[in-house]
Amino acid sequence: MSECRGTILHRRSIRRFEERQIDEGVLQRILEAGLYAPSAAGRQGVLFAVSQDRAVNERLGKIKRAHSHPQMATATSYVSKEQPSIADDPHLQNAFYDAPTVITLFAPKNFLFSAEDCACAAENMMLTADSLGVGSCYVGQGFAAFADPYGQEILRRWNIRTDYYAVAQILLGYPRAGDAHPTPKPRKDGRILRF
Ligand SMILES: Cc1cc2nc3c(=O)[nH]c(=O)nc-3n(C[C@H](O)[C@H](O)[C@H](O)COP(=O)(O)O)c2cc1C
């Protein structure tokens, strides 16, 4: 199996992390992968705001949870039984799952391809993280983490331009020791259409 294919098949969303911070060299490699992602018209508009401040991450993760309204899990419909998401477990109050590193991807509000640019960068980063032994999780609707006065204060503290918005967060941390690596759900049939 090629190294690339192996990483793609191995990557899973990780929502249970060790407390220890990820190595700086590893973080730099993950950020490099984001910087080298494709971007619409080669504009490279995505900003990567790295927060390793646990208090800030916890508070933003709680704001994000408070402003998220996921459809809660049922016996037959759930996100993950092995690494429950906020949609699976109503007791989870931090939408960032206590990840030690949270990277918010910001992009211009008035650019048609901002979401796609961030998603491309995110996948590059998550695959690189997996290949380096770091767990990751994509958190959508990143703007919800800044949806109250504290979040707005953080945007000012980080000097985020007012014409940019938070598309998503990438959570990073070492997978918790003793946890089995999650297995993927079976792939749904009929999604490849050939003509
Ligand atoms: C656009 C998008 C938004 C997502 N938002 C969240 C989220 O807010 N919280 C979360 O725990 N996981 C989120 N995820 C992760 C998905 O739940 C996860 O990718 C999916 O359940 C498949 O699991 P896997 O990543 O292990 O293959 C998101 C993924 C994508 C692509």
Side-chain angles (χ1 to χ4, degrees):
M1 189 161 30
S2 76
E3 205 180 317
C4 179
R5 178 172 178 249
T7 303
I8 288 170
L9 296 188
H10 185 262
R11 182 214 57 80
R12 298 269 69 77
S13 293
I14 297 298
R15 302 184 182 87
R16 291 157 53 99
F17 300 97
E18 293 276 300
E19 260 193 43
R20 75 191 155 102
Q21 190 50 267
I22 62 173
D23 294 341
E24 180 59 26
V26 166
L27 173 63
Q28 291 300 330
R29 292 273 295 278
I30 294 169
L31 290 168
E32 176 187 65
L35 290 173
Y36 275 85
S39 66
R43 285 170 58 153
Q44 300 185 38
V46 178
L47 302 177
F48 304 80
V50 182
S51 174
Q52 297 187 313
D53 183 319
R54 283 169 198 276
V56 170
N57 289 343
E58 183 179 346
R59 204 147 161 200
L60 292 178
K62 286 183 172 170
I63 298 168
K64 167 77 175 136
R65 175 67 193 92
H67 288 83
S68 300
H69 307 286
Q71 203 173 341
M72 298 310 290
T74 65
T76 52
S77 168
Y78 53 87
V79 178
S80 170
K81 293 205 163 148
E82 292 156 301
Q83 303 256 334
S85 79
I86 58 167
D88 298 313
D89 182 353
H91 298 106
L92 290 173
Q93 290 307 310
N94 180 353
F96 296 162
Y97 309 107
D98 300 317
T101 295
V102 177
I103 303 178
T104 300
L105 305 185
F106 290 93
K109 284 176 184 168
N110 67 350
F111 183 49
L112 207 53
F113 299 108
S114 281
E116 288 96 323
D117 282 354
C118 288
C120 284
E123 181 68 344
N124 263 18
M125 294 164 78
M126 293 190 293
L127 291 174
T128 301
D130 183 88
S131 74
L132 297 172
V134 171
S136 68
C137 187
Y138 187 107
V139 172
Q141 299 202 318
F143 50 85
F146 303 97
D148 82 354
Y150 178 79
Q152 294 296 306
E153 180 197 320
I154 292 295
L155 292 179
R156 285 190 293 275
R157 201 188 295 173
W158 291 355
N159 285 321
I160 303 299
R161 292 169 49 156
T162 54
D163 56 343
Y164 276 55
Y165 78 108
V167 175
Q169 277 86 23
I170 302 300
L171 315 181
L172 297 172
Y174 294 111
R176 203 178 293 175
D179 277 352
H181 189 66
T183 41
K185 288 179 180 170
R187 299 297 97 177
K188 288 185 178 170
D189 288 334
R191 295 198 295 149
I192 294 177
L193 312 177
R194 300 207 42 184
F195 305 102

